[in-house]
Amino acid sequence: MMKPILETKHLTKIYKGERAVDDVSLSINKGAIYGFLGLNGAGKTTTIRMLLGMIRPTHGSCFIKGRKVSQASSDLFKKVGYMVETPHAYPELTVRQNLEIFKRIRLLSDPNAVDRVIQLLKLNAYEHKKAKNLSLGNVQRLGIAKALMHQPEVLLLDEPVNGLDPAGIVEIRELLLDLSGNHGITIFISSHLLSEIAQIATNIGIIHLGRLIQEIESKQLKLLLNQRLIINTTNHSTAERTLNKAGISCGVNKHGSLETYDANAIKHPDHIARLLVESSHSLTHLAVEKENLEDYFLRMIKEKGETNHEAISGRVSHRRN
Ligand SMILES: Nc1ncnc2c1ncn2[C@@H]1O[C@H](COP(=O)(O)OP(=O)(O)OP(=O)(O)O)[C@@H](O)[C@H]1O
């Protein structure tokens, strides 16, 4: 069996009695793009910082290529590149000058290092542009260039698409696919945007209130999306009552439409149409839809988060949001 390139076992971090990360065991194989997803405050950054040996776990351990991470194991990080906060760049210097300075700070002797990352990150068109004039997407690109300068096998990125516009997100997505597919770099990427990450990730881990509540392969994700029947009428509250009386539970969703997950209703939308029309409702829209990924993400957090919360109540204190 393939040995994981990154692994955590029962990883836990407690801050003043609060479990920021709670018994997280995850495993990432070489070549994966692992999407680590959670809402703000879920425990993503804390997990990444422990993986990088920046903070010490309260319990449990992290492993890189099978070797345990500790503050003393700095040679382990020769194979790891990371970007865990908004990347710093000297605003008055060009992209190339920023990279040259970083190379000197990191004491890298490879004379081709700067040219190589400019090529790899497709920064050629911007290499003589001052950092202060770069788009946010290209600032991230410059940050990733620095993270890859020493040719690591693994790249850890904390919320790299945060604050990017849709075009910037697409650019970073394509870049990561290229790094993974054409350069064999294993990528661990945290985000709160499931649908953005699901498009490139091979594996997904969902963390909530410090607990890993789900770990799946992205290709399985589509199979887990629920179907629902979307119903629009000119009067949702009376339509809801009519459906409830017929034993069909439904509710108004965040888009203002009535929706139901009732299996019979989804199988026979014509029955629903008849029921509503016979009770004098004007039906304006009726469609069976697949749940979208964001809704799935929030449903998982609600369902499994609540179960976990009950299971560990007494051990988790309330968090500040
Ligand atoms: N140094 C610290 N001292 C006390 N509590 C902390 C510390 N660092 C993080 N926390 C708490 O741990 C929890 C997890 O935080 P963390 O930053 O890991 O979450 P996150 O998923 O990365 O969220 P975000 O996307 O908002 O950064 C939060 O409740 C946070 O307030």
Side-chain angles (χ1 to χ4, degrees):
M1 215 173 90
M2 203 193 287
K3 197 150 104 192
I5 194 157
L6 284 181
E7 198 177 8
T8 69
K9 287 186 184 164
H10 306 293
L11 191 65
T12 301
K13 182 73 186 178
I14 304 176
Y15 287 116
K16 297 192 186 121
E18 178 183 318
R19 286 171 182 260
V21 173
D22 194 2
D23 199 26
V24 167
S25 296
L26 51 81
S27 167
I28 299 154
N29 287 334
K30 191 171 167 49
I33 300 182
Y34 189 97
F36 192 47
L37 299 158
L39 302 176
N40 286 343
K44 304 181 293 295
T45 304
T46 308
T47 303
I48 291 178
R49 287 183 184 274
M50 287 191 280
L51 270 165
L52 291 168
M54 291 174 172
I55 52 175
R56 202 193 295 255
T58 311
H59 306 294
S61 313
C62 302
F63 301 84
I64 296 176
K65 296 181 87 175
R67 283 184 52 205
K68 189 169 167 177
V69 171
S70 72
Q71 259 111 356
S73 51
S74 58
D75 63 313
L76 264 183
F77 297 105
K78 287 190 180 137
K79 295 289 167 213
V80 180
Y82 62 87
M83 190 173 79
V84 293
E85 45 208 33
T86 311
H88 169 77
Y90 298 103
E92 294 298 334
L93 300 185
T94 66
V95 165
R96 178 172 279 279
Q97 287 166 335
N98 266 286
L99 291 170
E100 293 286 0
I101 286 187
F102 185 78
K103 178 179 163 248
R104 262 178 271 152
I105 293 172
R106 291 291 298 263
L107 305 173
L108 298 176
S109 54
D110 179 358
N112 300 319
V114 170
D115 285 327
R116 195 185 48 246
V117 288
I118 286 180
Q119 206 71 30
L120 186 62
L121 277 286
K122 302 188 176 67
L123 279 166
N124 311 61
Y126 311 96
E127 64 174 306
H128 300 302
K129 210 170 179 176
K130 284 187 179 174
K132 68 175 182 189
N133 297 327
L134 292 176
S135 68
L136 203 50
N138 279 326
V139 171
Q140 299 291 71
R141 210 173 260 268
L142 177 57
I144 297 174
K146 289 180 191 167
L148 291 176
M149 209 182 268
H150 60 297
Q151 297 187 277
E153 292 175 33
V154 191
L155 179 63
L156 284 95
L157 303 170
D158 194 10
E159 298 268 8
V161 293
N162 223 2
L164 295 187
D165 60 17
I169 294 178
V170 171
E171 264 189 46
I172 296 293
R173 222 164 46 201
E174 282 170 3
L175 167 67
L176 297 182
L177 280 173
D178 178 52
L179 293 176
S180 160
N182 300 324
H183 302 278
I185 297 172
T186 305
I187 298 172
F188 181 94
I189 173 172
S190 84
S191 181
H192 59 277
L193 302 169
L194 175 62
S195 44
E196 296 304 340
I197 299 307
Q199 293 182 44
I200 55 165
T202 53
N203 301 74
I204 300 264
I206 299 180
I207 183 168
H208 184 57
L209 293 175
R211 305 284 303 237
L212 189 66
I213 58 172
Q214 190 169 48
E215 216 184 12
I216 50 167
E217 288 183 28
S218 302
K219 60 183 178 216
Q220 292 174 337
L221 201 57
K222 289 213 166 74
L223 303 175
L224 298 175
L225 300 180
N226 274 341
Q227 287 204 313
R228 58 188 171 184
L229 182 66
I230 305 290
I231 306 155
N232 280 323
T233 67
T234 46
N235 189 335
H236 282 357
S237 52
T238 56
E240 186 174 352
R241 253 181 298 183
T242 302
L243 293 171
N244 285 344
K245 260 193 218 153
I248 297 157
S249 71
C250 56
V252 177
N253 66 21
K254 66 176 183 219
H255 307 294
S257 297
L258 262 184
E259 70 177 15
T260 176
Y261 287 87
D262 184 283
N264 280 327
I266 291 165
K267 211 166 163 199
H268 298 290
D270 51 318
H271 294 182
I272 302 298
R274 197 174 322 124
L275 183 65
L276 289 171
V277 171
E278 280 172 2
S279 55
S280 308
H281 286 91
S282 303
L283 199 56
T284 54
H285 179 84
L286 188 69
V288 176
E289 279 181 9
K290 235 185 181 163
E291 182 179 38
N292 69 34
L293 288 170
E294 290 310 326
D295 289 343
Y296 169 78
F297 179 44
L298 296 174
R299 180 164 64 84
M300 263 318 99
I301 283 173
K302 192 161 182 288
E303 284 176 14
K304 298 218 181 167
E306 275 169 8
T307 316
N308 276 331
H309 203 275
E310 278 157 23
I312 56 173
S313 64
R315 292 203 292 134
V316 177
S317 59
H318 288 290
R319 289 153 194 273
R320 57 191 158 90
N321 283 316

